[in-house]
Amino acid sequence: MEVYTVTVATGTSEYSGTNNYIFVTLVGEKGESERTLLDNPGLDFCRGAVDQYKVTSPFPLGSLLLVRLEKQRYWVEDNWFCRYVTVEPPGGHKMTFPCYRWLVGDVKVEIREGTAKTLREDSSSQLVAHRKIELQEKQKIYRWVTWAPGIPRCIDAKTEADLPQDVRFENEKRSDFEHSLHYALLELSLKKLAIRFGKSWNDLDDFKRIFWKLRSPIAEYCMEHWKEDWFFGYQCLNGSNPRMIQRCKKLPENFPVTSDMVQSSMAPRTNLDKELKAGNIYLLDYAIMDGIPTNTIKGKPQYIAAPLCLLYQHPDEGLIPIAIQLEQTSGLDTPIFLPRDPPLAWLLAKMWVRHSEFQVFQLLSHLLRTHLVVEVFCVATLRQLPAVHPIYKLLAPHLRYTLEINCRGRTQLISADGIFKRVVSTGGDGLLVLAQREYKVLTYRSLQPCIDFTDRGVSQLPNYFYREHSLMLWEAIHSFVSGMISLYYQSDHDVQEDLELQAWIRDISQEGFTELPDFGLHSKLSTREELSTLLAVAIFTSTAQHAATNNGQFDWCAWVPNTPCTMRQPPPTDKDAVTMEMIMATLPDVSQSCVQMAITWHLGRAQPDAIPLGQYMEEHFTESRAVELIDRFRTELKEIEDHILSQNEGLELQYLFLLPSRIENSITI
């Protein structure tokens, strides 16, 4: 009789344990062990438990291929999360079988030993068949659907409740998510009561009345400096939408700024033409906002603009705005606002630019270019790659919770009756039209920071901390991924011959990113470098890029006049007619301001169960060479962390959004 020592690890989150029956069968190349009920004295499979058992076989099983786990109901259904199983054969070495799955209902699952393998490396017909069956089952569970035309396709789930348990929030996460939103909305409701539901604020200082417990050092700094031109320019580089700015080599024909108009903003002994040639003039162009349908809130129309904003990299003052036009068509009713105009006119013009910034960063830079892009990778990975595949193991930590947070976003934020419809000027039809416009021009190049900065002509801009930190992180991620690819693909030919990998890229390019002929991503992978870059894009987007756009939104939006979510009056057409009364009538009212503050706090705050970039709570890779590469990646991230902390030491306004320790491993909020 052969005796195998089997260890079973139960999940550590709330409700991971079970009181149901658990059976195990060891499957080897020479046969199967006895089907064994795992039952020690006392309680088995408690939360966080690591239980050990003996499993017998009347004959040697040979090389172990699979561990079969079965769960059967005992009185009541009690789901179970299994982390891993280890098996120590008689006189052999311990083998680890990663699981990281929920067993729901009376169910049977088979898991493989942890060594990552591509299809070509599996010599056993039984293991090849196991891969095929696993994918067939997953493709029934994870299905593509078109939520709306003209944007990336997504998971087929009307609400988060329709998702499989394996991709749902853990109970602690779900409780915190729902509690924090209710807490924020409750506090802001109390503020509205305290302010007695005034329709509009009386003056700008009134906005301070909603700064209670929901506050941050940057938000308070913003409250003090938001009117200053240098601070406006700083946010173009290091705010929540730091990839909008581009170098201006030639003034757009629809933006007739003259040299005389901006001469007072120039440094001594220079002019606009010289600075254009020197590469010191930059542009924000919100043409994508032109003609977007606007929201109606409580029966009152809201307003948008499609501004053009010219900026100058001043040798002493830094990046500053020097001219703003609020519509795409120039004319008598579309004045060009200048810093030398009446102060309130210039201030309101900047507010309109920042209002457009709110729409673009929330819906395009944040929602479309991180959440929806990563969801495509998530669905394709779950459908086309078995758990033993090296690319599945590499991507799995970066897909955690993404499907559920996106489902919640579609039902709670951008739905017909969601929060955006209640308080945002593009809520309702506008947000979808805006996303569709951006999706049409979305390119694979623009998702690669090393190319994007060059294409936008911003490689030489000083104090562009987002660019500097992004490039460091991109290089670290790309180097890590390339090392992993070299472990499992010895040549470009190996990439080309991996049928599962090729099915994965076809799912991404043909099913996920549909109707996008100019995206620039092929439906076949030909080289290791192509694969490495694609994986780096997926990981960078789900980690660093999401952190850059999401994590600071409360900081930049809590002081509502700095980044208003809506405007209640049309853009001004007469500089001399701008008054404080006009500004207050234009900015969000008390109710809208409170919701803006609450939702940006809820979405931008640090998550209590966050797993930082490079940290892996689930050990999908078991082989030593892969583990060494992960350790090297962590070391490089620690060096980046130390550099960023050193760079920010002593700065009053710090840029810490891309500290590796503050970047989540996946999009979870």
Side-chain angles (χ1 to χ4, degrees), residues 151-273:
I151 61 174
R153 298 183 81 205
C154 62
I155 189 70
D156 185 3
K158 291 182 179 179
T159 73
E160 66 274 7
D162 297 327
L163 292 170
Q165 186 68 33
D166 284 332
V167 295
R168 292 293 311 274
F169 288 172
E170 292 178 355
N171 190 66
E172 296 95 330
K173 167 74 172 180
R174 181 167 56 255
S175 298
D176 174 78
F177 181 89
E178 293 168 355
H179 169 76
S180 72
L181 179 57
H182 293 154
Y183 170 82
L185 292 175
L186 175 62
E187 177 174 325
L188 273 300
S189 295
L190 293 173
K191 292 174 183 179
K192 286 191 288 185
L193 283 173
I195 302 167
R196 299 180 183 177
F197 291 100
K199 291 184 179 179
S200 296
W201 304 95
N202 293 320
D203 56 48
L204 291 170
D205 281 344
D206 269 1
F207 284 95
K208 294 178 181 178
R209 295 166 68 184
I210 55 174
F211 266 70
W212 290 6
K213 288 184 179 179
L214 302 186
R215 56 203 307 164
S216 78
I218 291 180
E220 295 186 35
Y221 188 94
C222 181
M223 181 173 64
E224 298 298 325
H225 297 279
W226 69 284
K227 294 181 183 179
E228 299 167 27
D229 286 353
W230 75 267
F231 188 71
F232 180 99
Y234 177 91
Q235 291 180 87
C236 298
L237 301 176
N238 303 307
S240 285
N241 191 31
R243 54 163 310 280
M244 187 84 180
I245 190 168
Q246 58 183 310
R247 180 184 169 186
C248 182
K249 297 180 181 178
K250 179 183 177 183
L251 291 175
E253 292 183 2
N254 62 333
F255 194 17
V257 178
T258 67
S259 186
D260 288 343
M261 284 182 181
V262 298
Q263 187 58 46
S264 60
S265 297
M266 296 286 121
R269 295 179 296 280
T270 190
N271 58 43
L272 180 59
D273 291 336

Side-chain angles (χ1 to χ4, degrees), residues 348 352 566-570 581-589:
L348 182 56
W352 272 102
T566 192
M567 294 296 229
R568 297 180 295 133
Q569 296 293 326
E581 289 74 21
M582 176 190 291
I583 290 176
M584 302 317 298
T586 300
L587 286 170
D589 64 21

Side-chain angles (χ1 to χ4, degrees), residues 27 36 50 137 145 211 220 250 265 309 347 393 478 480 575 618 651 660:
V27 181
T36 304
V50 179
E137 291 175 349
V145 74
F211 266 70
E220 295 186 35
K250 179 183 177 183
S265 297
C309 178
L347 182 64
K393 290 174 177 282
H478 193 278
F480 167 59
K575 300 179 184 182
E618 298 179 350
L651 293 182

Side-chain angles (χ1 to χ4, degrees), residues 465-499:
F465 303 121
Y466 160 74
R467 180 197 63 220
E468 179 188 341
H469 301 173
S470 291
L471 290 176
M472 288 191 294
L473 290 163
W474 169 263
E475 290 301 323
I477 291 168
H478 193 278
S479 174
F480 167 59
V481 168
S482 297
M484 283 293 197
I485 296 306
S486 296
L487 279 185
Y488 299 104
Y489 296 91
Q490 304 307 308
S491 67
D492 293 341
H493 181 73
D494 289 347
V495 172
Q496 297 162 18
E497 293 299 309
D498 187 340
L499 299 181

Side-chain angles (χ1 to χ4, degrees), residues 16 73-74 91 108 127 150 158 162 165 347 362 382 406 483 538:
S16 290
R73 181 180 305 184
Y74 174 74
K108 181 188 301 182
L127 291 179
K158 291 182 179 179
D162 297 327
Q165 186 68 33
L347 182 64
Q362 287 286 19
L382 291 167
N406 282 8

Side-chain angles (χ1 to χ4, degrees), residues 480-657:
F480 167 59
V481 168
S482 297
M484 283 293 197
I485 296 306
S486 296
L487 279 185
Y488 299 104
Y489 296 91
Q490 304 307 308
S491 67
D492 293 341
H493 181 73
D494 289 347
V495 172
Q496 297 162 18
E497 293 299 309
D498 187 340
L499 299 181
E500 292 168 339
L501 187 70
Q502 298 300 337
W504 174 73
I505 185 61
R506 284 195 302 273
D507 226 24
I508 290 171
S509 61
Q510 297 176 7
E511 294 291 337
F513 295 120
T514 56
E515 303 172 9
L516 207 57
D518 299 323
F519 183 54
L521 178 64
H522 300 300
S523 58
K524 181 179 180 180
L525 289 165
S526 300
T527 68
R528 294 191 296 176
E529 178 56 31
E530 285 179 1
L531 175 57
S532 296
T533 298
L534 181 60
L535 293 169
V537 165
I539 295 173
F540 178 85
T541 305
S542 64
T543 58
Q545 189 57 46
H546 181 257
T549 57
N550 177 79
N551 293 4
Q553 59 179 296
F554 178 74
D555 295 313
W556 308 118
C557 300
W559 179 248
V560 175
N562 181 61
T563 319
C565 62
T566 192
M567 294 296 229
R568 297 180 295 133
Q569 296 293 326
T573 57
D574 182 352
K575 300 179 184 182
D576 295 322
V578 177
T579 64
M580 183 57 70
E581 289 74 21
M582 176 190 291
I583 290 176
M584 302 317 298
T586 300
L587 286 170
D589 64 21
V590 173
S591 177
Q592 293 164 340
S593 300
C594 288
V595 175
Q596 172 177 328
M597 193 176 192
I599 199 64
T600 54
W601 175 81
H602 171 63
L603 298 177
R605 71 193 181 96
Q607 297 301 294
D609 66 340
I611 299 175
L613 177 60
Q615 305 302 313
Y616 303 106
M617 301 299 103
E618 298 179 350
E619 297 179 1
H620 291 277
F621 287 103
T622 59
E623 49 268 57
S624 60
R625 291 195 299 169
V627 173
E628 287 170 7
L629 285 174
I630 291 171
D631 289 340
R632 191 185 309 165
F633 180 43
R634 288 172 176 160
T635 299
E636 193 164 352
L637 291 175
K638 180 63 168 62
E639 292 171 356
I640 293 172
E641 178 107 1
D642 292 342
H643 170 81
I644 293 174
L645 289 173
S646 174
Q647 182 186 57
N648 281 272
E649 191 173 356
L651 293 182
E652 189 176 7
L653 182 58
Q654 299 184 331
Y655 187 79
L656 302 174
F657 301 117

Side-chain angles (χ1 to χ4, degrees), residues 97-116:
F97 293 74
C99 183
Y100 303 111
R101 290 177 59 180
W102 283 96
L103 277 68
V104 179
D106 290 348
V107 68
K108 181 188 301 182
V109 301
E110 293 180 338
I111 56 177
R112 291 189 52 167
E113 191 271 328
T115 302

